[in-house]
C-alpha cells in the first residue's frame, strides 16, 4: 500500500493534471479561433498529454488498491490579451507542476514509500522537458509576436509530429 500522505497528495495532483488538460484545451481553442492552427494543434496535443498524466496516476492508485478521487476542476482561463499570454500562462503552469511533482517525491521519501518515490521519477523527467519546451516557445512567440506566421512556421517545423511514444512512461488507465 502506498503511504496515506502520498495517496492524498497524488489525488490532488490528478486534479492539477486534469485542470492542466482543460487549460490547454482552452488555449488550443483560443488559437484555433485566431486561425493559428499550428499553435492550436500543439496545445490540443499538450492537453492529451496532461490527460495521460492524470490517467497514469489513476492507474498507479488502482494497481495499489488505493482510493481514487476523480476531481472536479476549476474553470480554465479562456480569454487572453495577446498571442504571448497563453504561452506565458502555460510556462507558469508547467513550473508550478514541477514543484508539485517534487513535493510528491518528497512526501513519498519522507514516508519511506520508495515504490511511490520511484513512480514520481518519470514525472520529474517529464517536467524538465515540458518546462524547457514551454520556455523555448515563449521566447519564440515573444520574438515574433508581431508576425504570427513566423510562429506558425516555427511550430510546423519544430512541432509537426507528436513525440514518439516513450516506452518508460507509466501506463495510463484505460489505454490499450
Ligand atoms: Fe502533466
Ligand atoms: Fe505538462
Amino acid at each position: 500500500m502506498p503511504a496515506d500522505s502520498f495517496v492524498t497528495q497524488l489525488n490532488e495532483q490528478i486534479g492539477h493534471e486534469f485542470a492542466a488538460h482543460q487549460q490547454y484545451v482552452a488555449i488550443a481553442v483560443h488559437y484555433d479561433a485566431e486561425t493559428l492552427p499550428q499553435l492550436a494543434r500543439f496545445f490540443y496535443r499538450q492537453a492529451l498529454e496532461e490527460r495521460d498524466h492524470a490517467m497514469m496516476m489513476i492507474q498507479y492508485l488502482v494497481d495499489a488498491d488505493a482510493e481514487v478521487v476523480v476531481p472536479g476542476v476549476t474553470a480554465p482561463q479562456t480569454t487572453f490579451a495577446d498571442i504571448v499570454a497563453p504561452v506565458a500562462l502555460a510556462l507558469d503552469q508547467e513550473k508550478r507542476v514541477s514543484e508539485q511533482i517534487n513535493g510528491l517525491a518528497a512526501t513519498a521519501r519522507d514516508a519511506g514509500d520508495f515504490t511511490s518515490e520511484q513512480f514520481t521519477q518519470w514525472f520529474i523527467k517529464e517536467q524538465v522537458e515540458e518546462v524547457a519546451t514551454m520556455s523555448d516557445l515563449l521566447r519564440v512567440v515573444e520574438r515574433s509576436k508581431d508576425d504570427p506566421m513566423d510562429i506558425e512556421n516555427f511550430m510546423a517545423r519544430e512541432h509537426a509530429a507528436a513525440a514518439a511514444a516513450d516506452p518508460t512512461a507509466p501506463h495510463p488507465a484505460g489505454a490499450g
Side-chain angles (χ1 to χ4, degrees):
M1 249 332 243
D4 288 347
S5 54
F6 183 81
V7 170
T8 301
Q9 208 169 325
L10 189 60
N11 271 305
E12 287 167 11
Q13 192 61 36
I14 290 167
H16 298 321
E17 301 293 336
F18 278 129
H21 167 266
Q22 299 290 81
Q23 185 60 71
Y24 285 160
V25 170
I27 291 173
V29 166
H30 168 78
Y31 283 136
D32 237 348
E34 298 285 317
T35 320
L36 295 164
Q38 299 294 339
L39 276 166
R41 187 171 61 157
F42 173 80
F43 278 100
Y44 283 126
R45 200 188 288 142
Q46 289 301 121
L48 280 176
E49 286 191 13
E50 301 304 344
R51 179 192 183 278
D52 275 353
H53 296 163
M55 298 307 275
M56 289 167 185
M57 292 169 184
I58 286 173
Q59 183 71 60
Y60 180 76
L61 292 174
V62 168
D63 284 344
D65 270 332
E67 190 189 5
V68 179
V69 185
V70 179
V73 298
T74 47
Q77 186 176 331
T78 53
T79 56
F80 302 96
D82 55 28
I83 198 170
V84 175
V87 182
L89 180 77
L91 177 57
D92 282 349
Q93 179 172 286
E94 292 300 343
K95 286 180 174 170
R96 193 168 59 243
V97 169
S98 294
E99 285 170 19
Q100 290 161 348
I101 298 286
N102 287 341
L104 272 167
T107 295
R109 182 173 294 190
D110 289 348
D113 179 356
F114 301 113
T115 307
S116 295
E117 187 187 348
Q118 190 185 45
F119 173 71
T120 64
Q121 297 306 304
W122 182 83
F123 292 92
I124 291 173
K125 173 184 71 84
E126 174 75 2
Q127 282 311 120
V128 171
E129 289 170 16
E130 298 218 326
V131 168
T133 301
M134 246 12 125
S135 319
D136 285 353
L137 182 55
L138 184 60
R139 263 192 299 277
V140 169
V141 294
E142 279 176 340
R143 193 169 59 220
S144 299
K145 60 176 178 292
D146 297 324
D147 192 357
M149 282 310 114
D150 260 14
I151 303 170
E152 286 286 282
N153 289 335
F154 171 84
M155 298 310 284
R157 219 170 43 239
E158 301 294 326
H159 296 286
D166 176 354
T168 68
H171 183 78

